[in-house]
Structures are given as C-alpha cells and as structure tokens.
C-alpha cells in the first residue's frame, strides 16, 4: 500500500493525536498526593522549662511569610501537633483558607494509614525539628533527612507521590 504525501501527513497527524490522547488518559489516571512539611516558626526562648512556648515576634512574622508562600498552593487538609508554636505557625494559613487544623501526635501516627487516607490530596503538615524529618522519611520510605538544627525554622519539605513514584526535595524559605 502506498501512501502519498498528503496521506502520510494525515496518517502521522492521527497518530500524534492518538498518542496525546493515550498520554492524557494515563496522566489523568495517576493519583498524586502532595505533602508540604514545615517546622514551627521561631518560638519564645525566655523560659527553658516551658515546653509549650508561643511564637516570638520573628516567629509571628514567619507564620505570615508561610501564609504568603502557600497562598497559591491548593491545600485540602492541614495537620499540626498540639503545641502553641505549631498551631500559631499554621493559623494564618488555616484562617486564610478556612481549613480546620487537624491535630496529630507524631508518637502515635501510622504513616501507612496516613498515606492511604490522603491519596490524591494536598496536605500541609507542621511539626518540630525532631519530628518533621522523620515524618518526611516515613512518607518517602527511606531515611533521607536528619533532624533539623534547633535554630532552623526555614525548611519546606516537598514530597509528591504519584502511584509508586516518589519525588522529594527541601527548599529553604528565608
């Protein structure tokens, strides 16, 4: 069978359209979850015996900065530990979006169950220097991140899980 120039172009165009359609269907069938993990903003350090301090002035400013960072990111749920500093960090985002803050306990969380309940969602998680890296590692399934330095309140851990593929990185938000 011989295909002329016009016939070949038509044949190729149909093939390209078919490939695009197949790719579009496979991308749409992927279920992707986006996780954004941050440590609480700067806390008051006046009383070393206070295990539940509030944010200091710089921390209040940072919580507003986080609100700006997330203003164009779609969020379905917000999770925080039940401490003043974590709740105050995420409160501006929660109010801006009218999303209830869900309390979690990093000592009692089943990460496999958490991942299955959040499939296809965009989730913001706020925790601590000794919990956020572990939470990220549990979502990734590998020990990638070490504990955060106590003076670092600037890391944004980004984890995307699409079917079985996991992508992750850390941004430093000044």
């Amino acid at each position: 069978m011989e295909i002329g120039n016009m016939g070949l172009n038509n044949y190729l165009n149909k093939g390209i359209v078919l490939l695009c359609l197949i790719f579009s269907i496979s991308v749409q069938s992927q279920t992707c979850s986006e996780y954004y993990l941050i440590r609480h903003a700067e806390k008051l350090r006046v009383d070393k015996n206070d295990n539940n301090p509030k944010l200091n002035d710089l921390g209040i400013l940072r919580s507003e900065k986080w609100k700006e960072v997330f203003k164009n990111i779609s969020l379905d749920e917000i999770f925080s530990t039940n401490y003043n500093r974590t709740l105050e960090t995420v409160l501006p985002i929660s109010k801006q979006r009218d999303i209830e803050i869900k309390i979690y306990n990093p000592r009692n969380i089943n990460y496999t169950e958490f991942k299955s309940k959040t499939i296809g969602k965009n989730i913001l998680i706020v925790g601590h220097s000794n919990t956020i890296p572990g939470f990220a590692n549990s979502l990734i399934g590998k020990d990638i991140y070490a504990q955060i330095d106590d003076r670092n309140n600037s890391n944004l851990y980004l984890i995307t899980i699409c079917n079985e593929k996991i992508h992750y990185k850390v941004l430093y938000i000044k």
Side-chain angles (χ1 to χ4, degrees):
M1 174 168 113
E2 198 171 305
I3 301 175
N5 262 355
M6 289 301 284
L8 180 60
N9 286 337
N10 191 23
Y11 181 75
L12 289 174
N13 286 339
K14 286 182 180 177
I16 290 170
V17 168
L18 182 60
L19 283 174
C20 288
L21 181 61
I22 290 169
F23 179 74
S24 155
I25 290 169
S26 71
V27 168
Q28 289 175 354
S29 69
Q30 286 189 0
T31 303
C32 298
S33 306
E34 296 274 341
Y35 299 96
Y36 304 89
L37 297 93
I38 60 174
R39 178 186 180 209
H40 61 78
E42 291 81 351
K43 63 184 177 182
L44 286 169
R45 295 178 181 267
V46 291
D47 181 358
K48 292 190 187 274
N49 295 320
D50 185 2
N51 67 354
N52 193 17
K54 295 184 176 228
L55 296 181
N56 64 23
D57 290 342
L58 189 58
I60 293 167
L61 290 173
R62 184 176 303 279
S63 70
E64 290 297 321
K65 174 76 172 188
W66 283 125
K67 181 176 85 173
E68 285 302 305
V69 167
F70 285 98
K71 77 177 179 185
N72 294 318
I73 297 174
S74 173
L75 293 174
D76 297 301
E77 294 181 280
I78 298 172
F79 290 86
S80 174
T81 59
N82 196 16
Y83 288 89
N84 291 329
R85 58 195 176 274
T86 52
L87 292 167
E88 289 176 359
T89 297
V90 78
L91 191 59
I93 300 167
S94 170
K95 283 183 176 181
Q96 179 187 53
R97 303 297 183 82
D98 195 27
I99 298 175
E100 175 188 347
I101 301 169
K102 296 181 178 181
I103 303 299
Y104 77 96
N105 183 336
R107 291 185 198 107
N108 300 331
I109 192 164
N110 179 325
Y111 294 101
T112 303
E113 185 179 309
F114 182 85
K115 282 170 54 173
S116 70
K117 286 184 175 181
T118 56
I119 289 175
K121 294 182 179 181
N122 293 343
I123 307 295
L124 173 59
I125 302 157
V126 184
H128 307 270
S129 62
N130 62 343
T131 64
I132 286 298
F135 203 131
N137 290 339
S138 294
L139 292 173
I140 295 166
K142 295 181 189 174
D143 282 336
I144 304 293
Y145 301 114
Q147 185 169 319
I148 304 168
D149 181 271
D150 190 47
R151 298 287 177 167
N152 178 354
N153 303 86
S154 304
N155 288 359
L156 170 57
Y157 297 78
L158 305 168
I159 300 170
T160 302
I161 303 174
C162 289
N163 296 332
E164 298 300 315
K165 293 186 181 178
I166 301 172
H167 300 279
Y168 52 89
K169 63 183 166 188
V170 177
L171 300 176
Y172 187 82
I173 309 296
K174 209 161 185 193

